[in-house]
Amino acid sequence: MDAVTQHNNQQAQRKAAMAVLAHAEAGEIAARLDALVLPAHQDLRAPENGLVMLRGRVGGDGAPFNLGEATVSRAAVRLASGEVGFGYTLGRDGEKARLIALCDALVQSRDFAGAVERDIIAPLREQLMVRRKQVAAQTAATKVDFYTMVRGEG
């Protein structure tokens, strides 16, 4: 595999992991990380809160406009082996952002990527899918079909 393909595969793996971690609870991530023997790491950027501007478009494709602001937390972690991970999450949960950053760094490590995928990401992905199916089933149970009857008057 050439270097570009390998880099693209690693970026896709990181993106998929971040999508799962962003929807997981901080306690779930921490509990699964506790089961691993973690390498030495340090916080490059301590968890901090801030705001991001949310943009919208009229009709989905019209001119963009500022919809409002959302609170986010971010953090950055570096492993002793040099991998740097970044974590962002909606809300004011700095610990969750730090845990996501640690997982991001571990996913980039050759020594830990497999264990993180197997022991953290895959089980959290399964939990997320189960939750989504439950919500879909609850939503489907409340579905109402509307129809119109045409009167036979002339």
Side-chain angles (χ1 to χ4, degrees):
M1 204 178 332
D2 66 346
V4 173
T5 304
Q6 185 176 3
H7 176 74
N8 289 342
N9 288 343
Q10 184 183 42
Q11 292 302 318
Q13 183 181 8
R14 287 177 70 192
K15 183 178 178 179
M18 294 304 104
V20 171
L21 292 169
H23 289 93
E25 297 293 327
E28 294 172 336
I29 300 169
R32 296 194 180 280
L33 275 172
D34 286 343
L36 293 178
V37 178
L38 297 175
H41 59 278
Q42 66 179 16
D43 289 347
L44 285 180
R45 179 186 305 264
E48 58 187 8
N49 300 323
L51 295 171
V52 294
M53 180 59 67
L54 302 177
R55 308 236 343 157
R57 290 183 179 267
V58 175
D61 60 357
F65 63 94
N66 292 337
L67 183 65
E69 295 176 330
T71 306
V72 295
S73 297
R74 70 178 180 175
V77 172
R78 179 179 23 213
L79 301 182
S81 55
E83 292 85 359
V84 177
F86 301 94
Y88 291 84
T89 186
L90 283 173
R92 302 184 68 137
D93 193 348
E95 181 61 16
K96 181 178 175 182
R98 193 186 71 73
L99 293 170
I100 291 173
L102 178 57
C103 288
D104 184 36
L106 291 170
V107 164
Q108 297 173 65
S109 170
R110 290 182 185 189
D111 298 334
F112 291 94
V116 169
E117 177 62 34
R118 180 185 64 244
D119 299 337
I120 298 172
I121 306 300
L124 290 175
R125 184 180 296 118
E126 184 64 31
Q127 285 179 354
L128 180 62
M129 297 306 287
V130 167
R131 275 192 232 133
R132 286 183 177 170
K133 286 180 182 177
Q134 288 173 342
V135 169
Q138 290 171 346
T139 303
T142 64
K143 181 180 176 184
V144 177
D145 288 323
F146 293 95
Y147 63 92
T148 303
M149 294 180 59
V150 177
R151 294 175 57 173
E153 298 173 4

